[in-house]
Amino acid sequence: MQLNPAQQAAVEHRGSPLLVLAGAGTGKTRVITHRVAALMDEGVPPWRILAVTFTNKAAAEMRARIEKMCEGKVDVSQLWVGTFHSISARILRRHGESVGLSRNFAIYDTDDQTRLMKRVFKELNRDEDQVKPRAILGHLDQLKNRGLTISQVEQLGLEGFMTRLVALLGRRYEELLRAADAADFGDLLVLAVKLLEKAGTEQPRPGAQLVDVDPVIGLKRRFLHVVVDEYQDTNPVQARLVELLSGRAQLCVVGDDDQAIYGWRGADVSQILGFPDHQPGCELIRLEQNYRSTGHILRCADAIIRRNEGRLGKTLWSELGDGSLVTLRACEDEREEARYVVNEILDALNEDIPPEEIAVFYRTHAQSRVIEQQLTDNGMRYAIFGGLGFFERKEIKDTLAYLRLLQNPNSDLDFTRIVNEPARGIGDTTVGRLTALAANRNVSLLTVARNPEEAGVSGAAVKRLAGFVAMIDELAARLHAGVPLGQLAAEVLERTGYRDALVHEGSEESEARVENLDEFVGALTDFAQENPDQTLADYLEQVSLVSDADGGGHGEVRAVRLMTIHSAKGLEFEKVILTGMEEKVFPHSRVIAGEDAAREEGRRLRPEERAQIEEERRLAYVAVTRAKRQLVVTWAKRRRLYNQEFIGTPSRFVRDLPPDSVRGRVPGVMRREAVGVPQGLSLPSAPPRAPAPTRERSWNSDIVYDEGAAAAPARRGPAAVSDDAPALYKGMAVRHRQYGEGTLVGWDGSGSNLKLAINFSGVGVKTILARFCEPL
């Protein structure tokens, strides 16, 4: 396949910084590989080219493609192609002595970091029940993403318990890392930047060259061309690393501001948005021809993303034709939604779409439970992509272990799993002594734990075991007293401190785990209500069958894919079923909480609140653009999630969809009839080519008052509007964000100046621009 004109321009551009704004499915990897190959064809030595991306898989694919294109012509082994972390590690292996690392330094993974931080807690006599080691590590990682050191945080003099604790524990953690000649993942970037920033600060001896004193200077001068993929996902320290390595190079960054969905882990979309302003003479090339999706899917994606203010702007188009309309389905509840999902999958299979080309998306892991259950009940194979099945997640397995131990006190496997989960100071040595005595006497661990002194346990461990046994006995008594199963699960999570421990951890991961626990409590509540004659043992048996079912999340190649939308980035499927499209589900409740607070407090949205909402909209855009030929969008009128009953309001992203590209009614949008209003009533104008202003409107800036409007309402006849727009009629129900719902009594004007005369209860007739109203 030949390059299209925009791709060719991106490959051939030379002489100034280049931003390639690559929309979803527009062939950005093709552009990057062709650009690198073209540079080498022009005589640029491979060792003077650096290509950086985010994942090892992407880096390997990039290198393989370049090798294939240059086979027999250039020795591409000298190319620097890798992830940010691998490039940083390569630099530190060569020159890390000045930042405290030998050539053979160790790289600590997540488990290593946790073990080391636990040692710090022990040394400094800190209680893990108050703050978890992982929470401290999460805060440290956030600091490193911004390129900040512990010393810099201390110099800021910030107040607050957590800030002081992070500084205290973080300093000792860093000391132990350096003493062990080790670095964690965040250190790789921070120390590489530190190394490059220090380069050249020492004065050479008379007659010596600066590069002789500091060889890192040569590294900063090494590259003539630097290419960075997925630039929208860079955090500040990654952007600084790129800046330092491209000081004498032509810099080309490739990315899509509309797919920036990792702000929660430190990525900063402002870096791609501000790139043209920060790089003098920057050329911006848009890749807008999409090779993945059909027209209706792309129009739906555009309708969603164009409402974001912070974007550079582009419009995807395709030569694949309009294709099938996007299917929109309103379901009564999450169970009907799950049944509908199964039927859609069956339809796709009957159309000979391979199962691995069918994907079901959801915003949070907790939503997968009902869908997994329905797929299992229908004997359908599925694989969880980028995560575990609901019942395979640690927090769910831990909770099930508690319940199984209540049901069966002889279950030693469950005892060993949760005796120190959450941490109670009952270590492996204590459990080992209990195990030895239990084996000798042929009794259960719980039995031995009632008299731990007989197993050689002494000191504080005896008291801790007594507390654990008493807690299990109390909860078992609640089970046998007939407490409702959902209530019992909630009591287990409260009495054991398991839920509170996750809440106090305060990380993004722990929040998701708490949501999963709440969903589990809700599932058990539903089970008890629907099966009043069945017991906890029945439920545990059913769950075991789900976990071990043939299709249940074991990653088979030929299986339907289930995944969160974050996991879906970079993937594509023939058919995508996007579920849970309700307000407070998607967009997520914690994201739109800022809107609720702003409304209650009568203030404008704070920048960070607006940024979260815009990222959620970008996430919706990513979801839609994964679909190649078929897209199904579902929402529920009511949903039980996180053990709460929600009345479902269609997501704003559903209400944004253009009616002419959708099969099924878009809530709040009228289909066209004889008389219409301009498209601005339900959809904004085409996206601008530059970022829209970020100012916030005042609450009443969308109201246009006509003098004497109440005395002489607008005319009661058809306006001069286009034929392909939604209908207006007297008595039509309309909503305005300030005045609420009202009744249309007339209209005047046309196009963007069309005004509606609306009678609001308790307020009277107001004349308002149509584009700020929503038909019901």
Side-chain angles (χ1 to χ4, degrees):
M1 184 178 71
Q2 292 185 336
L3 298 172
N4 66 42
Q7 290 174 331
Q8 191 70 46
V11 167
E12 295 177 351
H13 176 78
R14 304 287 186 270
S16 66
L18 172 65
L19 168 58
V20 180
L21 202 61
T26 57
K28 69 178 177 64
T29 304
R30 183 175 173 80
V31 166
I32 293 170
T33 53
H34 274 72
R35 181 176 174 86
V36 172
L39 289 169
M40 290 188 290
D41 281 345
E42 293 166 13
V44 178
W47 61 273
R48 307 211 72 170
I49 301 173
L50 170 66
V52 189
T53 188
F54 271 82
T55 67
N56 290 312
K57 180 181 177 183
E61 180 186 356
M62 189 183 298
R63 179 178 286 279
R65 287 199 192 187
I66 294 170
E67 286 177 347
K68 186 175 182 180
M69 293 174 65
C70 300
E71 190 172 7
K73 293 186 290 184
V74 183
D75 180 10
V76 299
S77 64
Q78 298 180 56
L79 272 174
W80 278 47
V81 178
T83 66
F84 280 98
H85 289 99
S86 68
I87 295 296
S88 297
R90 186 172 182 178
I91 292 170
L92 292 171
R93 294 278 182 216
R94 295 185 177 190
H95 310 290
E97 291 88 348
S98 66
V99 290
L101 296 176
S102 77
R103 288 179 177 269
N104 299 314
F105 73 88
I107 299 174
Y108 280 9
D109 63 15
T110 303
D111 288 341
D112 298 326
Q113 294 171 47
T114 302
R115 285 199 299 271
L116 184 60
M117 185 57 76
K118 286 182 178 232
R119 176 180 165 185
V120 172
F121 268 61
K122 202 170 282 187
E123 279 190 17
L124 300 181
N125 197 27
R126 292 291 165 173
D127 185 0
E128 290 188 26
D129 290 337
Q130 185 180 32
V131 179
K132 291 293 183 185
R134 280 186 300 186
I136 299 297
L137 288 170
H139 283 280
L140 285 176
D141 191 55
Q142 289 175 12
L143 293 175
K144 291 175 182 180
N145 286 339
R146 299 200 297 270
L148 296 175
T149 64
I150 296 296
S151 297
Q152 289 172 315
V153 173
E154 290 175 332
Q155 289 170 10
L156 291 173
L158 299 175
E159 293 298 322
F161 167 76
M162 182 58 78
T163 302
R164 292 194 300 271
L165 190 61
V166 168
L168 173 68
L169 298 171
R171 177 167 291 284
R172 182 55 180 158
Y173 171 80
E174 297 294 337
E175 289 172 354
L176 292 175
L177 270 178
R178 295 297 91 79
D181 191 20
D184 63 22
F185 290 122
D187 284 334
L188 294 177
L189 298 167
V190 171
L191 294 177
V193 166
K194 182 179 179 181
L195 182 70
L196 291 164
E197 287 178 335
K198 284 176 57 179
T201 57
E202 296 181 17
Q203 291 298 317
R205 66 181 183 275
Q209 296 294 319
L210 190 59
V211 71
D212 295 330
V213 176
D214 191 346
V216 181
I217 289 290
L219 187 60
K220 293 174 71 172
R221 298 172 177 175
R222 178 187 186 99
F223 301 111
L224 297 178
H225 290 272
V226 174
V227 182
V228 184
D229 190 16
E230 301 284 12
Y231 193 72
Q232 78 280 353
D233 293 334
T234 54
N235 59 40
V237 71
Q238 289 165 336
R240 179 60 176 154
L241 181 66
V242 169
E243 182 182 1
L244 290 166
L245 290 174
S246 61
R248 294 196 172 187
Q250 290 185 36
L251 177 59
C252 169
V253 301
V254 182
D256 184 3
D257 55 326
D258 290 335
Q259 295 187 72
I261 60 173
Y262 296 122
W264 51 274
R265 68 182 190 193
D268 185 357
V269 68
S270 68
Q271 289 175 164
I272 191 171
L273 294 175
F275 188 86
D277 296 328
H278 297 153
Q279 298 288 333
C282 175
E283 178 80 9
L284 194 160
I285 296 176
R286 291 176 171 84
L287 304 184
E288 297 178 303
Q289 182 175 357
N290 179 283
Y291 295 95
R292 175 188 300 159
S293 307
T294 50
H296 286 306
I297 293 171
L298 294 180
R299 281 193 280 278
C300 286
D302 181 64
I304 291 171
I305 198 61
R306 69 166 64 178
R307 291 181 180 266
N308 267 3
E309 293 179 350
R311 61 189 298 255
L312 294 169
K314 61 185 174 303
T315 303
L316 299 183
W317 59 276
S318 173
E319 292 181 342
L320 299 175
D322 284 343
S324 302
L325 292 170
V326 172
T327 299
L328 178 62
R329 173 63 180 248
C331 302
E332 289 301 318
D333 57 25
E334 74 278 9
R335 280 170 285 190
E336 182 187 313
E337 180 183 56
R339 290 192 293 270
Y340 181 74
V341 165
V342 169
N343 288 333
E344 283 293 316
I345 292 171
L346 289 171
D347 287 346
L349 294 173
N350 288 333
E351 295 171 17
D352 292 328
I353 297 177
E356 65 271 19
E357 282 290 329
I358 306 168
V360 182
F361 294 169
Y362 34 79
R363 176 63 180 83
T364 62
H365 284 297
Q367 292 168 248
S368 77
R369 178 190 62 82
V370 181
I371 299 170
E372 288 184 57
Q373 182 72 63
Q374 193 63 226
L375 288 168
T376 301
D377 290 348
N378 284 272
M380 300 181 70
R381 291 188 172 188
Y382 66 90
I384 304 290
F385 186 92
L388 298 170
F390 183 83
F391 291 102
E392 294 175 343
R393 292 164 190 149
K394 180 183 184 302
E395 62 274 15
I396 303 302
K397 283 191 168 184
D398 287 346
T399 307
L400 287 169
Y402 272 110
L403 293 173
R404 277 195 297 265
L405 189 61
L406 301 185
Q407 180 71 36
N408 176 14
N410 295 320
S411 180
D412 288 350
L413 186 65
D414 293 312
F415 178 96
T416 54
R417 182 179 183 98
I418 50 84
V419 68
N420 199 42
E421 188 64 58
R424 300 185 177 91
I426 302 174
D428 292 341
T429 300
T430 297
V431 174
R433 288 173 178 169
L434 295 176
T435 302
L437 182 60
N440 182 262
R441 294 184 176 180
N442 197 27
V443 295
S444 72
L445 285 171
L446 186 60
T447 298
V448 173
R450 297 183 186 281
N451 298 288
E453 298 91 338
E454 296 178 2
V457 178
S458 60
V462 173
K463 185 176 181 181
R464 292 169 186 150
L465 278 170
F468 174 77
V469 171
M471 177 185 68
I472 294 298
D473 287 345
E474 290 170 13
L475 290 169
R478 296 288 288 162
L479 168 63
H480 299 309
V483 172
L485 296 184
Q487 182 181 334
L488 177 66
E491 289 182 12
V492 166
L493 294 172
E494 179 182 356
R495 182 74 175 80
T496 61
Y498 196 103
R499 191 179 189 281
D500 285 344
L502 289 174
V503 170
H504 291 150
E505 186 175 321
S507 67
E508 186 85 16
E509 178 190 357
S510 66
E511 286 183 16
R513 293 174 68 192
V514 170
E515 289 177 349
N516 290 337
L517 290 175
D518 292 340
E519 175 65 11
F520 176 81
V521 172
L524 198 48
T525 300
D526 289 346
F527 173 83
Q529 291 174 348
E530 295 165 7
N531 306 279
D533 298 329
Q534 296 197 22
T535 64
L536 177 61
D538 295 315
Y539 180 76
L540 294 173
E541 178 183 329
Q542 182 189 98
V543 168
S544 297
L545 293 173
V546 169
S547 299
D548 295 331
D550 287 341
H554 298 298
E556 294 90 343
V557 173
R558 293 190 62 80
V560 174
R561 291 342 193 211
L562 271 61
M563 66 191 74
T564 64
I565 302 166
H566 280 103
S567 298
K569 188 170 181 290
L571 304 178
E572 58 183 42
F573 302 93
E574 282 291 315
K575 181 167 188 168
V576 167
I577 305 170
L578 178 54
T579 65
M581 292 296 285
E582 302 113 52
E583 291 288 294
K584 297 189 177 181
V585 177
F586 190 22
H588 196 284
S589 57
R590 66 170 171 261
V591 172
I592 60 177
E595 287 183 328
D596 297 336
R599 192 159 40 246
E600 291 174 6
E601 297 166 14
R603 61 170 173 81
R604 299 177 179 179
L605 284 176
R606 299 188 179 104
E608 63 272 17
E609 293 168 338
R610 181 180 297 282
Q612 285 185 323
I613 293 168
E614 295 216 341
E615 180 158 319
E616 202 79 347
R617 186 173 288 280
R618 292 194 292 269
L619 189 60
Y621 173 83
V622 166
V624 170
T625 53
R626 300 310 94 192
K628 293 193 283 189
R629 298 294 180 273
Q630 296 182 30
L631 175 63
V632 178
V633 179
T634 66
W635 66 279
K637 297 176 183 177
R638 65 181 184 278
R639 181 182 299 275
R640 190 170 186 83
L641 188 63
Y642 318 137
N643 197 31
Q644 298 180 54
E645 188 80 29
F646 294 95
I647 301 301
T649 302
S651 168
R652 63 194 70 188
F653 309 139
V654 172
R655 299 197 300 270
D656 289 340
L657 300 179
D660 290 345
S661 289
V662 170
R663 179 187 297 109
R665 182 174 175 269
V666 177
V669 178
M670 299 293 294
R671 285 205 177 271
R672 65 187 182 196
E673 295 178 31
V675 179
V677 296
Q679 214 168 358
L681 184 60
S682 58
L683 296 172
S685 57
R689 284 297 191 183
T694 56
R695 64 183 180 85
E696 174 81 1
R697 295 191 184 94
S698 63
W699 69 269
N700 63 348
S701 63
D702 57 342
I703 302 176
V704 178
Y705 297 100
D706 286 346
E707 300 243 355
R715 58 193 167 102
R716 272 55 172 178
V721 294
S722 65
D723 292 332
D724 61 345
L728 282 182
Y729 56 89
K730 185 177 177 181
M732 177 181 181
V734 181
R735 179 187 290 119
H736 180 262
R737 65 180 180 184
Q738 175 64 24
Y739 293 119
E741 295 183 12
T743 302
L744 185 65
V745 296
W747 55 87
D748 197 10
S750 63
S752 61
N753 292 318
L754 179 74
K755 301 171 188 175
L756 304 182
I758 305 169
N759 187 17
F760 295 98
S761 176
V763 178
V765 176
K766 298 290 183 183
T767 302
I768 305 174
L769 286 171
R771 65 177 179 270
F772 296 114
C773 300
E774 180 183 25
L776 299 175

